[in-house]
PDB file of all heavy atoms in Angstrom:
ATOM      1  N   LEU B  73     116.323  86.391 142.935  1.00 94.00           N
ATOM      2  CA  LEU B  73     116.088  87.752 142.445  1.00 94.00           C
ATOM      3  C   LEU B  73     116.367  87.860 140.941  1.00 94.00           C
ATOM      4  O   LEU B  73     115.555  88.384 140.171  1.00 94.00           O
ATOM      5  CB  LEU B  73     116.993  88.715 143.217  1.00 94.00           C
ATOM      6  CG  LEU B  73     116.630  90.190 143.140  1.00 94.00           C
ATOM      7  CD1 LEU B  73     115.403  90.478 143.995  1.00 94.00           C
ATOM      8  CD2 LEU B  73     117.804  91.043 143.611  1.00 94.00           C
ATOM      9  N   LEU B  74     117.509  87.320 140.511  1.00 92.00           N
ATOM     10  CA  LEU B  74     117.911  87.430 139.106  1.00 92.00           C
ATOM     11  C   LEU B  74     116.992  86.633 138.187  1.00 92.00           C
ATOM     12  O   LEU B  74     116.567  87.130 137.137  1.00 92.00           O
ATOM     13  CB  LEU B  74     119.363  86.956 138.930  1.00 92.00           C
ATOM     14  CG  LEU B  74     120.430  87.879 139.523  1.00 92.00           C
ATOM     15  CD1 LEU B  74     121.783  87.172 139.574  1.00 92.00           C
ATOM     16  CD2 LEU B  74     120.549  89.162 138.722  1.00 92.00           C
ATOM     17  N   VAL B  75     116.667  85.386 138.613  1.00 93.00           N
ATOM     18  CA  VAL B  75     115.792  84.544 137.771  1.00 93.00           C
ATOM     19  C   VAL B  75     114.399  85.179 137.688  1.00 93.00           C
ATOM     20  O   VAL B  75     113.795  85.217 136.610  1.00 93.00           O
ATOM     21  CB  VAL B  75     115.730  83.098 138.314  1.00 93.00           C
ATOM     22  CG1 VAL B  75     114.677  82.288 137.576  1.00 93.00           C
ATOM     23  CG2 VAL B  75     117.093  82.427 138.174  1.00 93.00           C
ATOM     24  N   SER B  76     113.890  85.705 138.811  1.00 94.00           N
ATOM     25  CA  SER B  76     112.565  86.343 138.806  1.00 94.00           C
ATOM     26  C   SER B  76     112.563  87.548 137.882  1.00 94.00           C
ATOM     27  O   SER B  76     111.663  87.700 137.046  1.00 94.00           O
ATOM     28  CB  SER B  76     112.176  86.805 140.213  1.00 94.00           C
ATOM     29  OG  SER B  76     112.289  85.757 141.112  1.00 94.00           O
ATOM     30  N   ALA B  77     113.584  88.401 138.023  1.00 93.00           N
ATOM     31  CA  ALA B  77     113.643  89.612 137.189  1.00 93.00           C
ATOM     32  C   ALA B  77     113.722  89.240 135.705  1.00 93.00           C
ATOM     33  O   ALA B  77     112.989  89.800 134.874  1.00 93.00           O
ATOM     34  CB  ALA B  77     114.844  90.459 137.596  1.00 93.00           C
ATOM     35  N   GLY B  78     114.572  88.268 135.376  1.00 92.00           N
ATOM     36  CA  GLY B  78     114.719  87.825 133.979  1.00 92.00           C
ATOM     37  C   GLY B  78     113.423  87.253 133.442  1.00 92.00           C
ATOM     38  O   GLY B  78     113.021  87.552 132.314  1.00 92.00           O
ATOM     39  N   SER B  79     112.732  86.458 134.279  1.00 93.00           N
ATOM     40  CA  SER B  79     111.477  85.830 133.836  1.00 93.00           C
ATOM     41  C   SER B  79     110.402  86.884 133.620  1.00 93.00           C
ATOM     42  O   SER B  79     109.635  86.802 132.648  1.00 93.00           O
ATOM     43  CB  SER B  79     110.984  84.826 134.879  1.00 93.00           C
ATOM     44  OG  SER B  79     111.999  83.907 135.141  1.00 93.00           O
ATOM     45  N   ILE B  80     110.335  87.876 134.507  1.00 92.00           N
ATOM     46  CA  ILE B  80     109.309  88.926 134.371  1.00 92.00           C
ATOM     47  C   ILE B  80     109.533  89.703 133.063  1.00 92.00           C
ATOM     48  O   ILE B  80     108.593  89.906 132.295  1.00 92.00           O
ATOM     49  CB  ILE B  80     109.313  89.870 135.602  1.00 92.00           C
ATOM     50  CG1 ILE B  80     108.724  89.136 136.813  1.00 92.00           C
ATOM     51  CG2 ILE B  80     108.518  91.148 135.321  1.00 92.00           C
ATOM     52  CD1 ILE B  80     108.931  89.825 138.138  1.00 92.00           C
ATOM     53  N   ILE B  81     110.781  90.076 132.799  1.00 90.00           N
ATOM     54  CA  ILE B  81     111.058  90.826 131.559  1.00 90.00           C
ATOM     55  C   ILE B  81     110.759  89.949 130.334  1.00 90.00           C
ATOM     56  O   ILE B  81     110.185  90.417 129.352  1.00 90.00           O
ATOM     57  CB  ILE B  81     112.512  91.355 131.542  1.00 90.00           C
ATOM     58  CG1 ILE B  81     112.713  92.338 132.699  1.00 90.00           C
ATOM     59  CG2 ILE B  81     112.841  92.056 130.213  1.00 90.00           C
ATOM     60  CD1 ILE B  81     114.148  92.790 132.912  1.00 90.00           C
ATOM     61  N   ALA B  82     111.082  88.644 130.431  1.00 90.00           N
ATOM     62  CA  ALA B  82     110.804  87.730 129.302  1.00 90.00           C
ATOM     63  C   ALA B  82     109.301  87.608 129.075  1.00 90.00           C
ATOM     64  O   ALA B  82     108.837  87.613 127.924  1.00 90.00           O
ATOM     65  CB  ALA B  82     111.400  86.362 129.592  1.00 90.00           C
ATOM     66  N   LEU B  83     108.526  87.545 130.161  1.00 88.00           N
ATOM     67  CA  LEU B  83     107.065  87.434 130.034  1.00 88.00           C
ATOM     68  C   LEU B  83     106.479  88.692 129.398  1.00 88.00           C
ATOM     69  O   LEU B  83     105.590  88.603 128.551  1.00 88.00           O
ATOM     70  CB  LEU B  83     106.430  87.210 131.415  1.00 88.00           C
ATOM     71  CG  LEU B  83     106.492  85.775 131.929  1.00 88.00           C
ATOM     72  CD1 LEU B  83     105.990  85.705 133.367  1.00 88.00           C
ATOM     73  CD2 LEU B  83     105.653  84.849 131.062  1.00 88.00           C
ATOM     74  N   ILE B  84     107.004  89.858 129.810  1.00 85.00           N
ATOM     75  CA  ILE B  84     106.531  91.123 129.217  1.00 85.00           C
ATOM     76  C   ILE B  84     106.857  91.135 127.724  1.00 85.00           C
ATOM     77  O   ILE B  84     106.014  91.472 126.892  1.00 85.00           O
ATOM     78  CB  ILE B  84     107.165  92.342 129.940  1.00 85.00           C
ATOM     79  CG1 ILE B  84     106.630  92.444 131.366  1.00 85.00           C
ATOM     80  CG2 ILE B  84     106.876  93.633 129.176  1.00 85.00           C
ATOM     81  CD1 ILE B  84     107.359  93.454 132.235  1.00 85.00           C
ATOM     82  N   ASP B  85     108.089  90.721 127.369  1.00 84.00           N
ATOM     83  CA  ASP B  85     108.488  90.657 125.958  1.00 84.00           C
ATOM     84  C   ASP B  85     107.538  89.763 125.157  1.00 84.00           C
ATOM     85  O   ASP B  85     107.080  90.140 124.078  1.00 84.00           O
ATOM     86  CB  ASP B  85     109.916  90.104 125.835  1.00 84.00           C
ATOM     87  CG  ASP B  85     110.966  91.160 126.183  1.00 84.00           C
ATOM     88  OD1 ASP B  85     110.599  92.348 126.257  1.00 84.00           O
ATOM     89  OD2 ASP B  85     112.129  90.798 126.396  1.00 84.00           O
ATOM     90  N   LEU B  86     107.250  88.579 125.713  1.00 85.00           N
ATOM     91  CA  LEU B  86     106.375  87.632 125.006  1.00 85.00           C
ATOM     92  C   LEU B  86     104.970  88.206 124.844  1.00 85.00           C
ATOM     93  O   LEU B  86     104.364  88.112 123.781  1.00 85.00           O
ATOM     94  CB  LEU B  86     106.301  86.306 125.782  1.00 85.00           C
ATOM     95  CG  LEU B  86     107.514  85.395 125.627  1.00 85.00           C
ATOM     96  CD1 LEU B  86     107.400  84.205 126.562  1.00 85.00           C
ATOM     97  CD2 LEU B  86     107.616  84.887 124.183  1.00 85.00           C
ATOM     98  N   GLN B  87     104.463  88.805 125.943  1.00 81.00           N
ATOM     99  CA  GLN B  87     103.116  89.375 125.898  1.00 81.00           C
ATOM    100  C   GLN B  87     103.032  90.469 124.828  1.00 81.00           C
ATOM    101  O   GLN B  87     102.081  90.520 124.063  1.00 81.00           O
ATOM    102  CB  GLN B  87     102.768  89.935 127.283  1.00 81.00           C
ATOM    103  CG  GLN B  87     101.295  90.198 127.495  1.00 81.00           C
ATOM    104  CD  GLN B  87     100.890  91.607 127.121  1.00 81.00           C
ATOM    105  OE1 GLN B  87     101.693  92.517 127.117  1.00 81.00           O
ATOM    106  NE2 GLN B  87      99.634  91.767 126.787  1.00 81.00           N
ATOM    107  N   LEU B  88     104.065  91.314 124.774  1.00 80.00           N
ATOM    108  CA  LEU B  88     104.069  92.395 123.778  1.00 80.00           C
ATOM    109  C   LEU B  88     104.195  91.838 122.368  1.00 80.00           C
ATOM    110  O   LEU B  88     103.536  92.297 121.443  1.00 80.00           O
ATOM    111  CB  LEU B  88     105.222  93.370 124.059  1.00 80.00           C
ATOM    112  CG  LEU B  88     105.025  94.288 125.264  1.00 80.00           C
ATOM    113  CD1 LEU B  88     106.331  94.954 125.634  1.00 80.00           C
ATOM    114  CD2 LEU B  88     103.968  95.325 124.979  1.00 80.00           C
ATOM    115  N   TYR B  89     105.046  90.794 122.226  1.00 81.00           N
ATOM    116  CA  TYR B  89     105.261  90.212 120.902  1.00 81.00           C
ATOM    117  C   TYR B  89     103.961  89.625 120.348  1.00 81.00           C
ATOM    118  O   TYR B  89     103.647  89.780 119.174  1.00 81.00           O
ATOM    119  CB  TYR B  89     106.346  89.139 120.949  1.00 81.00           C
ATOM    120  CG  TYR B  89     106.653  88.568 119.591  1.00 81.00           C
ATOM    121  CD1 TYR B  89     107.397  89.297 118.670  1.00 81.00           C
ATOM    122  CD2 TYR B  89     106.144  87.337 119.211  1.00 81.00           C
ATOM    123  CE1 TYR B  89     107.650  88.803 117.411  1.00 81.00           C
ATOM    124  CE2 TYR B  89     106.396  86.827 117.951  1.00 81.00           C
ATOM    125  CZ  TYR B  89     107.142  87.554 117.051  1.00 81.00           C
ATOM    126  OH  TYR B  89     107.386  87.069 115.794  1.00 81.00           O
ATOM    127  N   PHE B  90     103.208  88.952 121.225  1.00 80.00           N
ATOM    128  CA  PHE B  90     101.975  88.309 120.761  1.00 80.00           C
ATOM    129  C   PHE B  90     100.782  89.273 120.731  1.00 80.00           C
ATOM    130  O   PHE B  90      99.677  88.861 120.418  1.00 80.00           O
ATOM    131  CB  PHE B  90     101.662  87.075 121.609  1.00 80.00           C
ATOM    132  CG  PHE B  90     102.589  85.930 121.307  1.00 80.00           C
ATOM    133  CD1 PHE B  90     103.540  85.511 122.222  1.00 80.00           C
ATOM    134  CD2 PHE B  90     102.534  85.296 120.077  1.00 80.00           C
ATOM    135  CE1 PHE B  90     104.414  84.473 121.929  1.00 80.00           C
ATOM    136  CE2 PHE B  90     103.403  84.264 119.772  1.00 80.00           C
ATOM    137  CZ  PHE B  90     104.349  83.849 120.698  1.00 80.00           C
TER     138      PHE B  90
END
Side-chain angles (χ1 to χ4, degrees):
Chain B
L73 197 74
L74 289 167
V75 172
S76 307
S79 305
I80 288 168
I81 297 172
L83 280 173
I84 292 170
D85 283 346
L86 283 173
Q87 196 269 336
L88 287 167
Y89 183 75
F90 287 110

